[in-house]
Amino acid sequence: MDFTSRYVALGDSFTEGVGDDDAGRPNGVRGWADRVAEQLGAADPSFGYANLAIRGRKLRQIMAEQVDAAVELKPTLVSIYAGANDILRPRINIDDLLVEYDAGIRKLTATGATVVMFTGFDSRGSKVFSTTRGRTAIYNELVRGIAGDHGALLVDYWRFSEYHDWGMWATDRMHMSAAGHANMAKRVLAVLEHAHSIDVPPMTPVPEPSRAAAIRANARWVREFAAPWVVRRVTGKSSGDGLAPRYGRLTHLQARKPGA
């Protein structure tokens, strides 16, 4: 496929790149979308990339804040993942929410751009997040229908079994690690049928902890990640408060050496 000029990435922390730390980049992260942009623009210095995603954003916020901004950039390629933060809320009307998602996708495809959508991840391996697995399955079926109705490409995250390896996840257990983001970039480029030089960083096998070690690790996770996440939800705050889009205007990312 030929995406010769402008790629715009929309969404939340998944697309912003949280979990893939890089102090030299805006908001201190890199992520799969940066990697995709580097590969797509490697042979074309005129290629432009914008990343409007901001961590913590819910679906309606993404529709309100990012879709029109993306249209103004006259994209030839758009990726969008929205809804994960809504699924984690105590109450959600998935059908109503996806009606708004459908409207946003319709607006994006009307530009003539190729649009890439994602299903949600199958969280069956998580004792905490597996409680939302049924919601995600319903969300995924609606997303597949929207993608089919509007001719969007689909990255079927739900079926990516490699993400049941904890090496694909950051220490917060909520976001992908550098390896996870690199692997997602490969997955997206495969859907785009675009050649790439991405290698997934090697993952160190994690030994099975003793019961005592597991208890300590879980307690630390609750203290450092889960509890602050709950507090933000209760107080109406977001991890993305005060953050601007990483690349609000079209820019060209320098391709890193093969494998990076």
Side-chain angles (χ1 to χ4, degrees):
M1 297 183 184
D2 183 21
F3 311 109
T4 56
S5 50
R6 297 173 298 277
Y7 167 37
V8 182
L10 312 181
D12 52 28
S13 58
F14 172 81
T15 300
E16 185 188 346
V18 175
D20 184 13
D21 296 340
D22 189 328
R25 301 215 174 185
N27 296 354
V29 295
R30 184 184 181 194
W32 66 265
D34 281 19
R35 287 174 162 84
V36 168
E38 291 161 11
Q39 297 293 313
L40 294 179
D44 182 4
S46 68
F47 184 87
Y49 163 61
N51 189 323
L52 309 184
I54 296 179
R55 66 194 71 180
R57 290 299 194 258
K58 292 186 284 187
L59 188 146
R60 288 188 173 98
Q61 292 174 304
I62 294 168
M63 298 300 103
E65 299 170 5
Q66 299 178 24
V67 170
D68 286 343
V71 171
E72 290 179 3
L73 293 171
K74 296 180 173 58
T76 55
L77 172 66
V78 177
S79 66
I80 181 167
Y81 181 26
N85 289 312
D86 300 87
I87 288 171
L88 294 173
R89 293 307 190 272
R91 296 181 181 178
I92 177 178
N93 186 318
I94 297 177
D95 295 287
D96 286 352
L97 202 62
L98 270 290
V99 168
E100 297 191 33
Y101 202 8
D102 179 88
I105 298 301
R106 183 183 302 113
K107 186 176 291 188
L108 292 170
T109 55
T111 67
T114 296
V115 175
V116 178
M117 301 176 67
F118 296 78
T119 57
F121 175 63
D122 182 356
S123 59
R124 69 176 185 266
S126 169
K127 292 181 180 180
V128 175
F129 298 110
S130 62
T131 57
T132 65
R133 191 180 182 216
R135 285 181 175 183
T136 304
I138 294 170
Y139 164 90
N140 286 348
E141 283 306 299
L142 294 172
V143 164
R144 290 187 178 102
I146 293 171
D149 289 344
H150 296 291
L153 300 177
L154 187 67
V155 179
D156 205 347
Y157 195 9
W158 178 269
R159 297 180 179 178
F160 296 168
S161 60
E162 64 267 30
Y163 285 93
H164 295 296
D165 186 323
W166 280 109
M168 290 285 185
W169 297 91
T171 54
D172 66 5
R173 307 181 188 177
M174 302 177 190
H175 299 101
M176 294 182 296
S177 63
H181 278 281
N183 186 76
M184 186 59 65
K186 291 180 64 173
R187 286 288 198 170
V188 172
L189 288 163
V191 168
L192 295 176
E193 299 178 0
H194 194 283
H196 64 81
S197 57
I198 297 174
D199 291 327
V200 177
M203 292 178 288
T204 303
V206 179
E208 186 71 24
S210 66
R211 185 172 182 274
I215 291 173
R216 289 194 298 271
N218 288 336
R220 183 169 58 253
W221 175 76
V222 169
R223 182 175 64 254
E224 296 180 3
F225 301 109
W229 182 85
V230 171
V231 169
R232 288 196 299 271
R233 298 304 176 270
V234 172
T235 59
K237 296 180 179 180
S238 169
S239 57
D241 288 347
L243 290 181
R246 297 181 57 237
Y247 298 106
R249 297 180 179 181
L250 293 169
T251 188
H252 184 84
L253 296 184
Q254 293 296 321
R256 293 192 176 181
K257 64 182 181 180

